[in-house]
Amino acid sequence: MEFQLIAELLLLGSCTGFLAGLLGIGGGMLLVPFMTFILSHRGVPDGLAVKMAIATSMATILFTSVSSVRAHHKRGAVRWDIVRGLAPGIVIGGLLAGAGVFAVLKGQWLALVFAAFVGFSATQMLLDKKPAPARQMPGMAGQWAAGGGIGFISGLVGAGGGFVSVPFMTWCNVAMHNAVATSAALGFPIALANTVGYVVGGWSLPAPLPGALGYLYLPALAVIASASVLTAPFGARVAHAMNVRQLKRVFALLLYVLAAYMLYKALA
C-alpha cells in the first residue's frame, strides 16, 4: 500500500476505535462510508466497494470490541447477563446475513439498508422517548429473537450492532452507560459470526485488490485494527465522564451524518 493510503487508514482506525469506546458502536458506521470512498477511488466498482467496506469494517470489530470492553468491564458497566442472553441469537443471525443474504444483495441495496436503519436509530435516540417504567428485558426466547435481529441487521451494514442494541436496551430500561458497555461486549460475537459469513460467501470472488480475501481487504484490516485498539480505551473513559443526554446527542448526530452519506452513495 502507498503511504497516503496507510495514513488515511491509520487516521480512520484511530477515530473508529475512539468511537467504539465512546458509543459502543464498534466504529463500523464510520468505517463503512469512508472505506467505501477509499476503495471507490482506487478502482473498485462502487457496488463491490460497498460490500468490501462492510466486510472489512465488521472484521475490525473483532479487535476494537476486545479493547473497548476491557475498559468498560473495569468500571463494572457491562451487563454480562444480557450478553449471555443475546449472543446465541446474534451468532445465528450473523451467519445467515454474512454467508447468505449479503452475497446476493446488490451494493446499492446494502447502502440503502445502511442509511435507513442508521437514520431510524438516530431518530429514536434523539427523541429520547422514556420507556415504560415496568418494561424490562424479555425472557430467554425473546432475547434470542432480539439477538438474531441484531446480528442479521449488523451483518448487512457492517456495524457492531450498537445502533440497534443500544436503543433496544435503553427501551428495556437498561441504563445508557450500561447499554453502551454491553453493546461493546456484544460486538465480538457479532463480528465473529459475520466475518466467517463474509469469507464463506465471497470465497470464489476474484480479488479486486492485492490482499483481498473474498469481501475482506486484509491490508486495510491490519492497519485499522492496529490503530483502533489503542484509542478504544480512551473513548470508553470519555463515555463515563459524559452525562446521558450528551451521549445520546453525540450518538444521534453521528448517525444522521453517516446515514445521509450512504443514502447519497446509493442514489448516485
Side-chain angles (χ1 to χ4, degrees), residues 87 95 122 144 173 175-176 195 205 237 261-262:
L95 288 172
W144 274 50
N173 276 304
M176 182 63 179
T195 299
L205 187 71
R237 288 195 294 270
Y261 175 78
M262 292 306 286

Side-chain angles (χ1 to χ4, degrees), residues 40-129:
S40 296
H41 280 71
R42 279 164 176 79
V44 180
D46 285 344
L48 182 56
V50 171
K51 289 191 172 187
M52 290 185 68
I54 288 173
T56 305
S57 164
M58 181 62 76
T60 64
I61 298 169
L62 288 168
F63 304 93
T64 57
S65 172
V66 172
S67 180
S68 176
V69 77
R70 285 181 63 190
H72 284 297
H73 177 68
K74 288 178 180 178
R75 296 175 179 270
V78 181
R79 287 282 304 273
W80 291 107
D81 57 321
I82 297 177
V83 174
R84 289 190 293 271
L86 294 178
I90 280 173
V91 171
I92 295 171
L95 288 172
L96 288 174
V101 178
F102 183 85
V104 176
L105 283 180
K106 293 182 178 180
Q108 179 185 23
W109 284 105
L110 289 171
L112 285 172
V113 170
F114 183 96
F117 276 100
V118 172
F120 172 77
S121 298
T123 302
Q124 291 293 100
M125 192 63 66
L126 199 59
L127 290 177
D128 195 20
K129 290 184 178 180

Side-chain angles (χ1 to χ4, degrees), residues 55 58-60 62 94 98 190-200 216 221:
M58 181 62 76
T60 64
L62 288 168
I190 288 173
L192 181 61
N194 280 291
T195 299
V196 171
Y198 298 142
V199 172
V200 173
L216 299 180
L221 171 61

